Amino acid sequence: MRKSAERRSPEGISERNKNSGAMAQSALPIPKVLVVADLWQSEPAADAVIQRAVAIAAEMTDGDTADAELAVMLTDDAGIRTLNSNWRGIDKPTNVLSFPALAPPMPLAGTDDIPRMLGDIAIAYETARREADDEQKPFDHHLSHLTVHGFLHLVGYDHETDDEAEAMESLEIEILAQLGIPDPYADRERMG
């Protein structure tokens, strides 16, 4: 369910799609980053980190994501706790949540020029910051990982079974390697 992980320069991918106009083979999905918690002001590069992570993840998956839109909401623990409670029945904060968009059963008349929605991703600052600090990794690496993880959920990956988790983790590792980020799972036992 993924493209081969041929070696590409992440910068080359971004430049090719940014500057190629109508000549591009396929346009990348369009992430809209919404900052809803003031804590994120301490991370001015967050938008660029998210844009780059989505671009590389889209290049390395088979999903039809060209020209699609997704929203990435940068929230806090209180905001994500509410989402987690309302949608999953789990009354505690988490690092990232994904909400894939439901595709309409039939295209609506007159909507040909409206971008297709992939869904929404929510990322909590305090939890993400605490995890990055606890694991002694740069915050932008962890933010990239959470973004990639959320994006993969939007395009159909899951981790409900050991096999699904192994496939999703392997793809995350490949995508993060393209971003120059080490294997985030290297320090824990791999699933058998």
Side-chain angles (χ1 to χ4, degrees), residues 54 70 96-100 118-123 143-157 168 172:
V54 168
L70 63 137
V96 63
L97 291 173
S98 296
F99 302 96
L118 286 179
D120 303 317
I121 299 169
I123 302 174
L143 178 58
S144 293
H145 182 202
L146 295 176
T147 301
V148 167
H149 185 88
F151 179 82
L152 291 179
H153 277 303
L154 296 184
V155 298
Y157 287 85
M168 189 169 176
E172 287 175 8

Side-chain angles (χ1 to χ4, degrees), residues 36-148:
V36 299
D38 288 340
L39 294 166
W40 284 96
Q41 298 308 317
S42 66
E43 302 297 335
D47 188 297
V49 168
I50 290 166
Q51 298 288 338
R52 188 166 177 249
V54 168
I56 299 300
E59 288 280 339
M60 294 183 67
T61 58
D62 283 337
D64 177 20
T65 60
D67 296 322
E69 288 187 358
L70 63 137
V72 180
M73 180 176 69
L74 301 179
T75 188
D76 55 20
D77 277 1
I80 211 158
R81 179 180 182 166
T82 299
L83 290 170
N84 207 18
S85 179
N86 290 345
W87 292 97
R88 298 178 65 221
I90 301 172
D91 189 22
K92 66 178 188 176
T94 188
N95 54 12
V96 63
L97 291 173
S98 296
F99 302 96
L102 298 175
M106 295 174 45
L108 301 173
T111 61
D112 291 344
D113 59 347
I114 296 174
R116 185 172 45 84
M117 291 299 299
L118 286 179
D120 303 317
I121 299 169
I123 302 174
Y125 181 79
E126 297 101 323
T127 297
R129 168 54 70 191
R130 185 174 51 256
E131 290 170 347
D133 291 347
D134 288 350
E135 296 170 21
Q136 299 177 351
K137 61 176 71 169
F139 184 76
D140 63 323
H141 286 192
H142 193 50
L143 178 58
S144 293
H145 182 202
L146 295 176
T147 301
V148 167

